[in-house]
């Protein structure tokens, strides 16, 4: 079985994230969507909310025989990946600026754990500019985010904002 880890903050999960997961299902038998616990960031959604949202929206992904698991983790990614007996880390690349950062991380991860591969994937063109940070920013300024995130995510964001 080929198991991959797709780590990220997913705050909020975007259609670009889901596109990468769906594409990854063509390559792997199991993908663990790993929500990073980063105490230094002020998230829009709590870890539990993000895991719940990801569990809900991942049901709509055409995953074929690929099993999707949502978990949270903290600490060193390669250590978590080895504990989960993963073969690869999946990372989405939108632009050259992403590539430079992701390349550094991939090379460090390879140095720390040579058996763990990093797979870079590009989202569909319509999501190539979408980031969680940008979605939050335009949402909080009152702009429409439909088409950037699943309807369920937008609904949860509106509930959170009004509550």
């Amino acid at each position: 079985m080929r198991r991959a880890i797709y780590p990220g903050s997913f705050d909020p999960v975007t259609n670009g994230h889901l596109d990468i997961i769906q594409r990854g299902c063509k390559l792997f038998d199991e993908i663990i969507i790993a929500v990073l616990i980063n105490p230094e960031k002020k998230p829009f959604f709590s870890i539990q909310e993000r895991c719940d949202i990801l569990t809900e929206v991942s049901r709509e992904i055409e995953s074929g025989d690929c099993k999707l698991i949502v978990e949270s983790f903290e600490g060193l990614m390669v250590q978590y990946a080895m504990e989960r007996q993963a073969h690869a880390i999946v990372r989405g690349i939108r632009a050259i600026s992403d590539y430079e950062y992701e390349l550094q991380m991939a090379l460090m991860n390879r140095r720390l754990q040579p058996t763990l591969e990093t797979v870079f994937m590009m989202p569909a063109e319509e999501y190539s500019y979408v980031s969680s940070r940008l979605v939050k920013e335009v949402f909080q300024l009152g702009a429409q985010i439909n088409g950037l995130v699943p309807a369920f995510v937008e609904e949860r964001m509106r509930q959170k904002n009004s509550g």
Side-chain angles (χ1 to χ4, degrees):
M1 179 178 57
R2 305 297 297 168
R3 177 180 293 141
I5 306 284
Y6 181 33
S9 63
F10 304 105
D11 188 37
V13 60
T14 69
N15 286 338
H17 291 128
L18 299 181
D19 184 62
I20 294 293
I21 294 166
Q22 187 166 325
R23 290 168 187 271
C25 283
K26 296 174 187 173
L27 304 174
F28 299 101
D29 302 309
E30 182 176 284
I31 297 176
I32 300 171
I33 305 162
V35 182
L36 173 64
I37 299 170
N38 185 348
E40 294 177 18
K41 285 191 173 183
K42 298 283 186 219
F44 188 83
F45 288 115
S46 71
I47 290 293
Q48 189 60 54
E49 288 171 322
R50 285 180 269 164
C51 287
D52 292 346
I53 290 168
L54 275 160
T55 299
E56 180 65 30
V57 298
S58 67
R59 292 184 181 126
E60 298 172 18
I61 293 174
E62 294 177 26
S63 59
D65 292 332
C66 177
K67 181 179 179 183
L68 299 175
I69 299 168
V70 177
E71 295 180 348
S72 61
F73 82 99
E74 60 184 320
L76 199 56
M77 221 317 280
V78 291
Q79 183 177 350
Y80 170 74
M82 296 320 298
E83 288 168 6
R84 298 297 283 123
Q85 298 177 335
H87 301 94
I89 300 168
V90 172
R91 298 300 296 158
I93 301 284
R94 294 174 304 228
I96 295 296
S97 56
D98 283 349
Y99 178 74
E100 290 175 7
Y101 172 77
E102 293 296 342
L103 177 63
Q104 287 180 327
M105 289 301 299
L107 292 173
M108 179 58 76
N109 289 342
R110 183 184 294 163
R111 185 176 193 288
L112 296 172
Q113 188 51 253
T115 62
L116 189 63
E117 295 295 337
T118 298
V119 177
F120 295 134
M121 301 185 78
M122 294 182 304
E125 286 179 29
E126 64 262 34
Y127 308 125
S128 63
Y129 65 93
V130 179
S131 70
S132 294
R133 180 192 54 77
L134 195 55
V135 166
K136 282 188 290 198
E137 192 174 308
V138 298
F139 173 78
Q140 290 171 333
L141 293 171
Q144 293 293 315
I145 58 169
N146 56 317
L148 303 177
V149 297
F152 179 76
V153 174
E154 183 174 3
E155 179 184 316
R156 291 290 300 267
M157 289 178 78
R158 295 201 186 290
Q159 288 171 358
K160 184 105 174 160
N161 216 34
S162 66

